Amino acid sequence: MLSRSFRWFEACAAFVEFFCAVCRCLVTGPRYLRETLRVMDLLIRRCLIPVGLAVAPVGAVISLQGAGLFRMFGAESLLSSLLATAIFREYSPALASVMVAAQAGSSIAARIGTMKVRGQIDALAVMSVDPIRYVVVPGLVACVIVTPLLSVLTTLLGLVSGWFFAVPVMGVDHGSFLANLYAQVSLVDLWVGLGKCMAFGTAVGLIAGFLGLRTSGGATGVGKAANDTVTMTIVLILVADYFVSMVLLRLGV
Amino acid sequence: MEFLHFVRRALVAQFNGPPPRDEFVRHALDAGVGSLPLLTLLTIFAGMNLSVQAYGTFVRFGGQDLLGLFCGVGGIRELYPVMAAVICGARIGATLAASLANMQISEQVEALEVMAVDPMRLLVAPRLWAVTLMLPLLCGYADVVGLAASYWAATEQMGVNGGTFMEQVRDIVHLGDLAAGVFKGVVFGWLVAIVSCYHGYRALKRDGAEGVGVATNRAIVHSAVLCIVLNMFLSALLYVR
Amino acid sequence: MAEQQPAITLEKVCKSFGPNRVLHEVSLTLPAGKIMVMLGPSGTGKSVLLRCLVGLMKPDSGRIFIEGQDITGLDERRSAGREQMFALRRKFGMLFQDGALFDDMCVGDNVAFPLRQHAKLSEREIAARVAEDLERVGLKNAQRKMPAELSGGMRKRVAFARAIALRPKIVLCDEPSSGLDPVMSATLDELILDLHRTLGMTFVVISHDTAEARKIADYVGLLYKGELQAFGLKDEVLRSNQRAINQFFERSTEGPIQVL
Ligand SMILES: Nc1ncnc2c1ncn2[C@@H]1O[C@H](COP(=O)(O)OP(=O)(O)OP(=O)(O)O)[C@@H](O)[C@H]1O
Ligand SMILES: [Mg+2]
């Protein structure tokens, strides 16, 4: 018990130290811009399809279940309002981030973990290249930028699939669907969504880098690092999402 | 194509007599009990989130009293089964893929073959059974925890009337819905297991540690995406009348 | 009749990976109950050859007979072919180059594994056999350890114990002596000779160690660039004065075997 809490404490301390090192690398040069761009390009290409495939069905399912619900009260026209707010503010950012965690987070952690168990990280250090600067920061920056971009795309996809299931499939009136679509959505919703995405993207990049660098124990360790990254970020995203929603609700925005 | 071939072999191994007991119990415990803390935490927050978000949305057009309906339908029919599947895809699936991939790259699978033991029977079949049987249970568990969390958030934080909330839940959620949720659990469980085993099994010796990472990554992403997409079709099939 | 069959016969076995030609028309015959040591520089396809023998890899062309049975025709994609292949593999024990121990079992369970799967023995008999075999390889006290806690040489010895646990007819050893200290590797040589004498097992041993070859081999083969440069009874091969053989046994840099 004692040794467990000690390990936990040690991990927290290590994370703080890691975080400070990352910040230091962010504010001082040299920056590996080319490497960052390469990772960004890779992330976008790798994440586009999974993220799209994950978010589109959510719009569809909201329409599917929502149309039935609203029909009971003869308020079908409100469906598109529900769809739009839910997607803009909640599902698109959360799901996009979860999928970025699943795809990008796990592959970044696995890549860094592989380098670690093969001794390449030590090799970098011996060649006096700071591993955090060279392998962690580019991934982090890429995650922070890519997640909101993906979220914009998934928002559109979610709306389109929602429309498809509401109008042709469930028979909601096309005109009222469109008319109500933006009635409840404000610019604030958009910013909230994008802000969340950047925060979650940061979390993904940080956790992946941290756990990747802490990998030990050969090939199994690599799998564990990838796995832990995903579960930890998903937990973080859901918990943070709840508190953000709560605060925003209280503030009345 | 290769995947279909794998599925065929896996099915043969799965239904060819009972799986090795020790392995099955070990994986069932790991998949079921091992996922409980994570799943509990996540469903509590997802349930509360569902309430809070739905409230925020509904209050704009004066529908806050419909919270129970929304939480019942959204949670039990859709959110909790998918969540259990995605979380398990991330946790159980990744573990399966990583362990199998590790066995592949260190030639342990080939060692089994040389010892005339069918790896499909010994490794894949018990994992498939374990996850397929545990995921529906986890779904049922998530239903209960999530609904309780939604209820708590709705009454304590949003001030919705508890009686109305429960009444609406009871109105809208039928036994059939619960059964459908469990059915989804079985389908998702098998899917997560087969996809993860496939990616783990496909790792090659020359990939080394990297192969384990790749297998884990693919297992997580493919099982999550497949579950979410399949959920859409299952919902359309089960609920559109 | 079965005794007259050679244990292993290869006929013009070829295997390439893409443009990389690894085995080229390898033919040999190893009578039952003999020890063959296969020599060859690193990366010439010795491990690939072993894998072909147990059907883990299919040769591109050529045929392989195990005790007279052709294994190249067995189609593992069909269940009948798989059954036959599995039946055939029970004749084999194999020591993998990196051990291939099961990470999630302790040393004792690793050695007991083939016994539990195939031998109709009680747990007590299995435990006795495991203890006996571990003692043979000098690891009596490591029974409860996990593979991750072992050194490379210890893993290799455990893997050897596992390979012989079922007392198979043919044992394939991929570099049993590399990574072992001279004393241990001599002990392992004695063990191979002992098993060979008492149980009449056939051994195919891959090695870089010419001293080991001199000591245990009945037959010696030299594989280089995918071709079997020399193969035959040890004395004949050693007397034949082939340059590649001489170079290998004299540890010389001069000769047909070039480091590239
Ligand atoms: N699965 C594979 N795919 C592609 N190429 C392979 C594969 N396995 C082996 N090779 C290639 O075959 C050649 C021979 O490999 P092999 O492992 O048989 O060498 P070896 O003689 O056992 O060497 P060592 O003494 O170092 O173990 C190598 O060039 C290797 O790159
Ligand atoms: Mg080799």
Side-chain angles (χ1 to χ4, degrees), chain A residues 101 103-116 135 204-215 221-230, chain B residues 213 217:
Chain A
Q103 173 65 277
S106 70
S107 72
I108 291 177
R111 196 173 67 92
I112 299 180
T114 311
M115 293 178 75
K116 171 86 191 213
V135 296
V204 172
L206 276 178
I207 295 182
F210 179 66
L211 292 181
L213 280 184
R214 274 172 75 87
T215 304
V222 174
K224 191 164 147 37
N227 187 353
D228 287 352
T229 302
V230 179
Chain B
N217 173 266

PDB file of all heavy atoms in Angstrom, chain A residues 101 103-116 135 204-215 221-230, chain B residues 213 217:
ATOM      1  N   ALA A 101      -7.222  10.539 -29.419  1.00  0.00           N
ATOM      2  CA  ALA A 101      -6.489   9.817 -28.376  1.00  0.00           C
ATOM      3  C   ALA A 101      -6.246   8.385 -28.808  1.00  0.00           C
ATOM      4  O   ALA A 101      -5.147   7.843 -28.651  1.00  0.00           O
ATOM      5  CB  ALA A 101      -7.263   9.847 -27.064  1.00  0.00           C
ATOM      6  N   GLN A 103      -6.265   7.018 -31.857  1.00  0.00           N
ATOM      7  CA  GLN A 103      -5.377   6.818 -33.012  1.00  0.00           C
ATOM      8  C   GLN A 103      -4.009   7.465 -32.795  1.00  0.00           C
ATOM      9  O   GLN A 103      -2.995   6.793 -32.750  1.00  0.00           O
ATOM     10  CB  GLN A 103      -6.071   7.375 -34.263  1.00  0.00           C
ATOM     11  CG  GLN A 103      -5.238   7.403 -35.492  1.00  0.00           C
ATOM     12  CD  GLN A 103      -4.871   6.023 -35.967  1.00  0.00           C
ATOM     13  OE1 GLN A 103      -3.920   5.418 -35.481  1.00  0.00           O
ATOM     14  NE2 GLN A 103      -5.614   5.491 -36.913  1.00  0.00           N
ATOM     15  N   ALA A 104      -4.037   8.810 -32.612  1.00  0.00           N
ATOM     16  CA  ALA A 104      -2.762   9.510 -32.536  1.00  0.00           C
ATOM     17  C   ALA A 104      -2.057   9.219 -31.222  1.00  0.00           C
ATOM     18  O   ALA A 104      -0.871   8.898 -31.207  1.00  0.00           O
ATOM     19  CB  ALA A 104      -3.001  11.010 -32.686  1.00  0.00           C
ATOM     20  N   GLY A 105      -2.803   9.305 -30.118  1.00  0.00           N
ATOM     21  CA  GLY A 105      -2.184   9.102 -28.810  1.00  0.00           C
ATOM     22  C   GLY A 105      -1.509   7.757 -28.721  1.00  0.00           C
ATOM     23  O   GLY A 105      -0.342   7.654 -28.328  1.00  0.00           O
ATOM     24  N   SER A 106      -2.248   6.706 -29.123  1.00  0.00           N
ATOM     25  CA  SER A 106      -1.640   5.395 -28.950  1.00  0.00           C
ATOM     26  C   SER A 106      -0.471   5.213 -29.903  1.00  0.00           C
ATOM     27  O   SER A 106       0.519   4.576 -29.549  1.00  0.00           O
ATOM     28  CB  SER A 106      -2.667   4.285 -29.122  1.00  0.00           C
ATOM     29  OG  SER A 106      -3.080   4.185 -30.441  1.00  0.00           O
ATOM     30  N   SER A 107      -0.567   5.781 -31.115  1.00  0.00           N
ATOM     31  CA  SER A 107       0.575   5.534 -32.009  1.00  0.00           C
ATOM     32  C   SER A 107       1.784   6.367 -31.596  1.00  0.00           C
ATOM     33  O   SER A 107       2.916   5.895 -31.719  1.00  0.00           O
ATOM     34  CB  SER A 107       0.202   5.743 -33.473  1.00  0.00           C
ATOM     35  OG  SER A 107       0.038   7.098 -33.761  1.00  0.00           O
ATOM     36  N   ILE A 108       1.545   7.579 -31.071  1.00  0.00           N
ATOM     37  CA  ILE A 108       2.696   8.358 -30.592  1.00  0.00           C
ATOM     38  C   ILE A 108       3.355   7.652 -29.420  1.00  0.00           C
ATOM     39  O   ILE A 108       4.580   7.477 -29.373  1.00  0.00           O
ATOM     40  CB  ILE A 108       2.252   9.778 -30.179  1.00  0.00           C
ATOM     41  CG1 ILE A 108       1.852  10.581 -31.413  1.00  0.00           C
ATOM     42  CG2 ILE A 108       3.378  10.498 -29.442  1.00  0.00           C
ATOM     43  CD1 ILE A 108       1.342  11.961 -31.096  1.00  0.00           C
ATOM     44  N   ALA A 109       2.510   7.209 -28.476  1.00  0.00           N
ATOM     45  CA  ALA A 109       3.081   6.523 -27.310  1.00  0.00           C
ATOM     46  C   ALA A 109       3.825   5.273 -27.739  1.00  0.00           C
ATOM     47  O   ALA A 109       4.912   4.979 -27.235  1.00  0.00           O
ATOM     48  CB  ALA A 109       1.977   6.169 -26.318  1.00  0.00           C
ATOM     49  N   ALA A 110       3.244   4.538 -28.696  1.00  0.00           N
ATOM     50  CA  ALA A 110       3.901   3.301 -29.124  1.00  0.00           C
ATOM     51  C   ALA A 110       5.225   3.611 -29.816  1.00  0.00           C
ATOM     52  O   ALA A 110       6.221   2.914 -29.613  1.00  0.00           O
ATOM     53  CB  ALA A 110       2.994   2.520 -30.068  1.00  0.00           C
ATOM     54  N   ARG A 111       5.229   4.692 -30.605  1.00  0.00           N
ATOM     55  CA  ARG A 111       6.461   5.016 -31.330  1.00  0.00           C
ATOM     56  C   ARG A 111       7.569   5.407 -30.349  1.00  0.00           C
ATOM     57  O   ARG A 111       8.699   4.911 -30.427  1.00  0.00           O
ATOM     58  CB  ARG A 111       6.211   6.163 -32.302  1.00  0.00           C
ATOM     59  CG  ARG A 111       7.290   6.331 -33.348  1.00  0.00           C
ATOM     60  CD  ARG A 111       6.876   7.358 -34.361  1.00  0.00           C
ATOM     61  NE  ARG A 111       6.806   8.680 -33.763  1.00  0.00           N
ATOM     62  CZ  ARG A 111       7.831   9.535 -33.756  1.00  0.00           C
ATOM     63  NH1 ARG A 111       8.969   9.197 -34.321  1.00  0.00           N
ATOM     64  NH2 ARG A 111       7.726  10.723 -33.187  1.00  0.00           N
ATOM     65  N   ILE A 112       7.206   6.296 -29.408  1.00  0.00           N
ATOM     66  CA  ILE A 112       8.211   6.716 -28.436  1.00  0.00           C
ATOM     67  C   ILE A 112       8.628   5.530 -27.577  1.00  0.00           C
ATOM     68  O   ILE A 112       9.815   5.343 -27.282  1.00  0.00           O
ATOM     69  CB  ILE A 112       7.666   7.860 -27.563  1.00  0.00           C
ATOM     70  CG1 ILE A 112       7.337   9.060 -28.442  1.00  0.00           C
ATOM     71  CG2 ILE A 112       8.686   8.258 -26.505  1.00  0.00           C
ATOM     72  CD1 ILE A 112       6.786  10.238 -27.701  1.00  0.00           C
ATOM     73  N   GLY A 113       7.629   4.699 -27.212  1.00  0.00           N
ATOM     74  CA  GLY A 113       7.946   3.528 -26.398  1.00  0.00           C
ATOM     75  C   GLY A 113       8.896   2.582 -27.111  1.00  0.00           C
ATOM     76  O   GLY A 113       9.834   2.052 -26.513  1.00  0.00           O
ATOM     77  N   THR A 114       8.662   2.383 -28.415  1.00  0.00           N
ATOM     78  CA  THR A 114       9.562   1.523 -29.184  1.00  0.00           C
ATOM     79  C   THR A 114      10.976   2.075 -29.168  1.00  0.00           C
ATOM     80  O   THR A 114      11.951   1.353 -28.945  1.00  0.00           O
ATOM     81  CB  THR A 114       9.094   1.423 -30.647  1.00  0.00           C
ATOM     82  OG1 THR A 114       7.722   1.110 -30.659  1.00  0.00           O
ATOM     83  CG2 THR A 114       9.861   0.358 -31.384  1.00  0.00           C
ATOM     84  N   MET A 115      11.073   3.403 -29.396  1.00  0.00           N
ATOM     85  CA  MET A 115      12.400   4.017 -29.377  1.00  0.00           C
ATOM     86  C   MET A 115      13.054   3.810 -28.021  1.00  0.00           C
ATOM     87  O   MET A 115      14.252   3.556 -27.928  1.00  0.00           O
ATOM     88  CB  MET A 115      12.300   5.515 -29.680  1.00  0.00           C
ATOM     89  CG  MET A 115      11.854   5.810 -31.096  1.00  0.00           C
ATOM     90  SD  MET A 115      11.679   7.566 -31.395  1.00  0.00           S
ATOM     91  CE  MET A 115      13.387   8.060 -31.513  1.00  0.00           C
ATOM     92  N   LYS A 116      12.222   3.913 -26.985  1.00  0.00           N
ATOM     93  CA  LYS A 116      12.765   3.786 -25.629  1.00  0.00           C
ATOM     94  C   LYS A 116      13.309   2.376 -25.381  1.00  0.00           C
ATOM     95  O   LYS A 116      14.440   2.205 -24.935  1.00  0.00           O
ATOM     96  CB  LYS A 116      11.671   4.132 -24.631  1.00  0.00           C
ATOM     97  CG  LYS A 116      12.011   3.848 -23.204  1.00  0.00           C
ATOM     98  CD  LYS A 116      12.752   4.990 -22.573  1.00  0.00           C
ATOM     99  CE  LYS A 116      13.299   4.526 -21.249  1.00  0.00           C
ATOM    100  NZ  LYS A 116      13.352   5.523 -20.250  1.00  0.00           N
ATOM    101  N   VAL A 135      11.313  14.389 -29.854  1.00  0.00           N
ATOM    102  CA  VAL A 135      10.239  13.438 -30.149  1.00  0.00           C
ATOM    103  C   VAL A 135       8.908  13.785 -29.479  1.00  0.00           C
ATOM    104  O   VAL A 135       7.859  13.428 -29.991  1.00  0.00           O
ATOM    105  CB  VAL A 135      10.607  11.976 -29.777  1.00  0.00           C
ATOM    106  CG1 VAL A 135      11.745  11.495 -30.617  1.00  0.00           C
ATOM    107  CG2 VAL A 135      10.895  11.834 -28.315  1.00  0.00           C
ATOM    108  N   VAL A 204      -3.812  14.783 -24.850  1.00  0.00           N
ATOM    109  CA  VAL A 204      -3.376  13.598 -25.604  1.00  0.00           C
ATOM    110  C   VAL A 204      -1.863  13.628 -25.826  1.00  0.00           C
ATOM    111  O   VAL A 204      -1.147  12.665 -25.527  1.00  0.00           O
ATOM    112  CB  VAL A 204      -4.102  13.513 -26.969  1.00  0.00           C
ATOM    113  CG1 VAL A 204      -3.503  12.400 -27.814  1.00  0.00           C
ATOM    114  CG2 VAL A 204      -5.583  13.285 -26.768  1.00  0.00           C
ATOM    115  N   GLY A 205      -1.385  14.779 -26.331  1.00  0.00           N
ATOM    116  CA  GLY A 205       0.040  14.881 -26.639  1.00  0.00           C
ATOM    117  C   GLY A 205       0.910  14.705 -25.410  1.00  0.00           C
ATOM    118  O   GLY A 205       1.933  14.008 -25.435  1.00  0.00           O
ATOM    119  N   LEU A 206       0.489  15.345 -24.308  1.00  0.00           N
ATOM    120  CA  LEU A 206       1.295  15.268 -23.084  1.00  0.00           C
ATOM    121  C   LEU A 206       1.334  13.857 -22.537  1.00  0.00           C
ATOM    122  O   LEU A 206       2.393  13.318 -22.219  1.00  0.00           O
ATOM    123  CB  LEU A 206       0.709  16.197 -22.017  1.00  0.00           C
ATOM    124  CG  LEU A 206       1.118  17.667 -22.082  1.00  0.00           C
ATOM    125  CD1 LEU A 206       0.423  18.448 -20.987  1.00  0.00           C
ATOM    126  CD2 LEU A 206       2.625  17.792 -21.940  1.00  0.00           C
ATOM    127  N   ILE A 207       0.159  13.254 -22.408  1.00  0.00           N
ATOM    128  CA  ILE A 207       0.115  11.920 -21.800  1.00  0.00           C
ATOM    129  C   ILE A 207       0.854  10.913 -22.668  1.00  0.00           C
ATOM    130  O   ILE A 207       1.619  10.085 -22.167  1.00  0.00           O
ATOM    131  CB  ILE A 207      -1.338  11.489 -21.563  1.00  0.00           C
ATOM    132  CG1 ILE A 207      -1.965  12.415 -20.526  1.00  0.00           C
ATOM    133  CG2 ILE A 207      -1.405  10.059 -21.085  1.00  0.00           C
ATOM    134  CD1 ILE A 207      -3.367  12.084 -20.173  1.00  0.00           C
ATOM    135  N   ALA A 208       0.638  11.007 -23.991  1.00  0.00           N
ATOM    136  CA  ALA A 208       1.323  10.056 -24.875  1.00  0.00           C
ATOM    137  C   ALA A 208       2.832  10.184 -24.737  1.00  0.00           C
ATOM    138  O   ALA A 208       3.547   9.188 -24.611  1.00  0.00           O
ATOM    139  CB  ALA A 208       0.897  10.280 -26.321  1.00  0.00           C
ATOM    140  N   GLY A 209       3.315  11.418 -24.719  1.00  0.00           N
ATOM    141  CA  GLY A 209       4.754  11.620 -24.600  1.00  0.00           C
ATOM    142  C   GLY A 209       5.277  11.122 -23.269  1.00  0.00           C
ATOM    143  O   GLY A 209       6.297  10.431 -23.194  1.00  0.00           O
ATOM    144  N   PHE A 210       4.541  11.446 -22.208  1.00  0.00           N
ATOM    145  CA  PHE A 210       4.988  11.071 -20.868  1.00  0.00           C
ATOM    146  C   PHE A 210       5.045   9.559 -20.715  1.00  0.00           C
ATOM    147  O   PHE A 210       6.078   8.996 -20.329  1.00  0.00           O
ATOM    148  CB  PHE A 210       4.022  11.679 -19.846  1.00  0.00           C
ATOM    149  CG  PHE A 210       4.346  11.342 -18.428  1.00  0.00           C
ATOM    150  CD1 PHE A 210       5.520  11.810 -17.854  1.00  0.00           C
ATOM    151  CD2 PHE A 210       3.486  10.573 -17.666  1.00  0.00           C
ATOM    152  CE1 PHE A 210       5.823  11.510 -16.538  1.00  0.00           C
ATOM    153  CE2 PHE A 210       3.782  10.274 -16.353  1.00  0.00           C
ATOM    154  CZ  PHE A 210       4.956  10.742 -15.790  1.00  0.00           C
ATOM    155  N   LEU A 211       3.929   8.892 -21.049  1.00  0.00           N
ATOM    156  CA  LEU A 211       3.908   7.431 -20.874  1.00  0.00           C
ATOM    157  C   LEU A 211       4.865   6.749 -21.838  1.00  0.00           C
ATOM    158  O   LEU A 211       5.478   5.737 -21.512  1.00  0.00           O
ATOM    159  CB  LEU A 211       2.491   6.897 -21.057  1.00  0.00           C
ATOM    160  CG  LEU A 211       1.536   7.321 -19.946  1.00  0.00           C
ATOM    161  CD1 LEU A 211       0.158   6.733 -20.188  1.00  0.00           C
ATOM    162  CD2 LEU A 211       2.057   6.861 -18.596  1.00  0.00           C
ATOM    163  N   GLY A 212       4.995   7.312 -23.043  1.00  0.00           N
ATOM    164  CA  GLY A 212       5.928   6.729 -24.008  1.00  0.00           C
ATOM    165  C   GLY A 212       7.348   6.743 -23.458  1.00  0.00           C
ATOM    166  O   GLY A 212       8.061   5.750 -23.518  1.00  0.00           O
ATOM    167  N   LEU A 213       7.745   7.861 -22.873  1.00  0.00           N
ATOM    168  CA  LEU A 213       9.110   7.965 -22.356  1.00  0.00           C
ATOM    169  C   LEU A 213       9.315   7.098 -21.128  1.00  0.00           C
ATOM    170  O   LEU A 213      10.442   6.725 -20.806  1.00  0.00           O
ATOM    171  CB  LEU A 213       9.436   9.417 -22.004  1.00  0.00           C
ATOM    172  CG  LEU A 213       9.812  10.319 -23.163  1.00  0.00           C
ATOM    173  CD1 LEU A 213      10.200  11.681 -22.662  1.00  0.00           C
ATOM    174  CD2 LEU A 213      10.952   9.712 -23.961  1.00  0.00           C
ATOM    175  N   ARG A 214       8.235   6.778 -20.425  1.00  0.00           N
ATOM    176  CA  ARG A 214       8.381   5.948 -19.217  1.00  0.00           C
ATOM    177  C   ARG A 214       8.302   4.458 -19.523  1.00  0.00           C
ATOM    178  O   ARG A 214       8.343   3.642 -18.608  1.00  0.00           O
ATOM    179  CB  ARG A 214       7.294   6.301 -18.208  1.00  0.00           C
ATOM    180  CG  ARG A 214       7.662   7.463 -17.330  1.00  0.00           C
ATOM    181  CD  ARG A 214       6.470   7.860 -16.507  1.00  0.00           C
ATOM    182  NE  ARG A 214       6.189   6.951 -15.414  1.00  0.00           N
ATOM    183  CZ  ARG A 214       6.734   7.043 -14.211  1.00  0.00           C
ATOM    184  NH1 ARG A 214       7.610   7.986 -13.970  1.00  0.00           N
ATOM    185  NH2 ARG A 214       6.416   6.197 -13.259  1.00  0.00           N
ATOM    186  N   THR A 215       8.150   4.105 -20.807  1.00  0.00           N
ATOM    187  CA  THR A 215       8.018   2.694 -21.161  1.00  0.00           C
ATOM    188  C   THR A 215       9.200   1.886 -20.641  1.00  0.00           C
ATOM    189  O   THR A 215      10.337   2.309 -20.727  1.00  0.00           O
ATOM    190  CB  THR A 215       7.985   2.530 -22.683  1.00  0.00           C
ATOM    191  OG1 THR A 215       6.942   3.332 -23.190  1.00  0.00           O
ATOM    192  CG2 THR A 215       7.755   1.085 -23.070  1.00  0.00           C
ATOM    193  N   GLY A 221       5.843  -3.755 -22.781  1.00  0.00           N
ATOM    194  CA  GLY A 221       5.783  -2.399 -22.266  1.00  0.00           C
ATOM    195  C   GLY A 221       5.260  -1.423 -23.304  1.00  0.00           C
ATOM    196  O   GLY A 221       4.520  -0.494 -22.977  1.00  0.00           O
ATOM    197  N   VAL A 222       5.613  -1.657 -24.568  1.00  0.00           N
ATOM    198  CA  VAL A 222       5.156  -0.769 -25.633  1.00  0.00           C
ATOM    199  C   VAL A 222       3.628  -0.844 -25.740  1.00  0.00           C
ATOM    200  O   VAL A 222       2.940   0.176 -25.792  1.00  0.00           O
ATOM    201  CB  VAL A 222       5.798  -1.149 -26.980  1.00  0.00           C
ATOM    202  CG1 VAL A 222       5.214  -0.315 -28.092  1.00  0.00           C
ATOM    203  CG2 VAL A 222       7.289  -0.957 -26.903  1.00  0.00           C
ATOM    204  N   GLY A 223       3.105  -2.066 -25.748  1.00  0.00           N
ATOM    205  CA  GLY A 223       1.658  -2.213 -25.810  1.00  0.00           C
ATOM    206  C   GLY A 223       0.987  -1.555 -24.625  1.00  0.00           C
ATOM    207  O   GLY A 223      -0.033  -0.892 -24.757  1.00  0.00           O
ATOM    208  N   LYS A 224       1.602  -1.708 -23.453  1.00  0.00           N
ATOM    209  CA  LYS A 224       1.004  -1.152 -22.250  1.00  0.00           C
ATOM    210  C   LYS A 224       1.003   0.373 -22.306  1.00  0.00           C
ATOM    211  O   LYS A 224       0.024   1.018 -21.919  1.00  0.00           O
ATOM    212  CB  LYS A 224       1.780  -1.641 -21.034  1.00  0.00           C
ATOM    213  CG  LYS A 224       1.104  -1.355 -19.728  1.00  0.00           C
ATOM    214  CD  LYS A 224       1.717  -2.190 -18.612  1.00  0.00           C
ATOM    215  CE  LYS A 224       1.698  -1.436 -17.292  1.00  0.00           C
ATOM    216  NZ  LYS A 224       0.521  -0.614 -17.061  1.00  0.00           N
ATOM    217  N   ALA A 225       2.085   0.952 -22.818  1.00  0.00           N
ATOM    218  CA  ALA A 225       2.143   2.405 -22.907  1.00  0.00           C
ATOM    219  C   ALA A 225       1.029   2.913 -23.810  1.00  0.00           C
ATOM    220  O   ALA A 225       0.315   3.873 -23.470  1.00  0.00           O
ATOM    221  CB  ALA A 225       3.505   2.848 -23.441  1.00  0.00           C
ATOM    222  N   ALA A 226       0.852   2.266 -24.975  1.00  0.00           N
ATOM    223  CA  ALA A 226      -0.187   2.691 -25.908  1.00  0.00           C
ATOM    224  C   ALA A 226      -1.559   2.569 -25.256  1.00  0.00           C
ATOM    225  O   ALA A 226      -2.392   3.478 -25.324  1.00  0.00           O
ATOM    226  CB  ALA A 226      -0.126   1.842 -27.175  1.00  0.00           C
ATOM    227  N   ASN A 227      -1.760   1.447 -24.600  1.00  0.00           N
ATOM    228  CA  ASN A 227      -3.034   1.163 -23.962  1.00  0.00           C
ATOM    229  C   ASN A 227      -3.339   2.168 -22.852  1.00  0.00           C
ATOM    230  O   ASN A 227      -4.420   2.763 -22.795  1.00  0.00           O
ATOM    231  CB  ASN A 227      -2.918  -0.262 -23.402  1.00  0.00           C
ATOM    232  CG  ASN A 227      -4.216  -0.747 -22.853  1.00  0.00           C
ATOM    233  OD1 ASN A 227      -5.168   0.007 -22.775  1.00  0.00           O
ATOM    234  ND2 ASN A 227      -4.245  -1.992 -22.462  1.00  0.00           N
ATOM    235  N   ASP A 228      -2.367   2.393 -21.969  1.00  0.00           N
ATOM    236  CA  ASP A 228      -2.574   3.319 -20.858  1.00  0.00           C
ATOM    237  C   ASP A 228      -2.843   4.728 -21.348  1.00  0.00           C
ATOM    238  O   ASP A 228      -3.666   5.448 -20.777  1.00  0.00           O
ATOM    239  CB  ASP A 228      -1.338   3.330 -19.944  1.00  0.00           C
ATOM    240  CG  ASP A 228      -1.256   2.057 -19.139  1.00  0.00           C
ATOM    241  OD1 ASP A 228      -2.237   1.284 -19.191  1.00  0.00           O
ATOM    242  OD2 ASP A 228      -0.233   1.823 -18.476  1.00  0.00           O
ATOM    243  N   THR A 229      -2.134   5.122 -22.418  1.00  0.00           N
ATOM    244  CA  THR A 229      -2.356   6.455 -22.946  1.00  0.00           C
ATOM    245  C   THR A 229      -3.820   6.641 -23.308  1.00  0.00           C
ATOM    246  O   THR A 229      -4.453   7.633 -22.932  1.00  0.00           O
ATOM    247  CB  THR A 229      -1.510   6.674 -24.214  1.00  0.00           C
ATOM    248  OG1 THR A 229      -0.160   6.479 -23.877  1.00  0.00           O
ATOM    249  CG2 THR A 229      -1.706   8.060 -24.761  1.00  0.00           C
ATOM    250  N   VAL A 230      -4.358   5.651 -24.024  1.00  0.00           N
ATOM    251  CA  VAL A 230      -5.735   5.797 -24.473  1.00  0.00           C
ATOM    252  C   VAL A 230      -6.692   5.825 -23.292  1.00  0.00           C
ATOM    253  O   VAL A 230      -7.539   6.716 -23.182  1.00  0.00           O
ATOM    254  CB  VAL A 230      -6.104   4.656 -25.439  1.00  0.00           C
ATOM    255  CG1 VAL A 230      -7.531   4.801 -25.880  1.00  0.00           C
ATOM    256  CG2 VAL A 230      -5.197   4.687 -26.626  1.00  0.00           C
TER     257      VAL A 230
ATOM    258  N   GLY B 213       3.284  -2.213 -30.802  1.00  0.00           N
ATOM    259  CA  GLY B 213       2.640  -0.905 -30.780  1.00  0.00           C
ATOM    260  C   GLY B 213       1.628  -0.766 -31.899  1.00  0.00           C
ATOM    261  O   GLY B 213       0.505  -0.315 -31.678  1.00  0.00           O
ATOM    262  N   ASN B 217      -2.392  -0.210 -31.438  1.00  0.00           N
ATOM    263  CA  ASN B 217      -3.020   0.959 -32.018  1.00  0.00           C
ATOM    264  C   ASN B 217      -4.159   0.574 -32.947  1.00  0.00           C
ATOM    265  O   ASN B 217      -5.280   1.079 -32.841  1.00  0.00           O
ATOM    266  CB  ASN B 217      -1.933   1.748 -32.769  1.00  0.00           C
ATOM    267  CG  ASN B 217      -2.496   2.888 -33.562  1.00  0.00           C
ATOM    268  OD1 ASN B 217      -2.771   2.739 -34.736  1.00  0.00           O
ATOM    269  ND2 ASN B 217      -2.704   3.999 -32.930  1.00  0.00           N
TER     270      ASN B 217
END
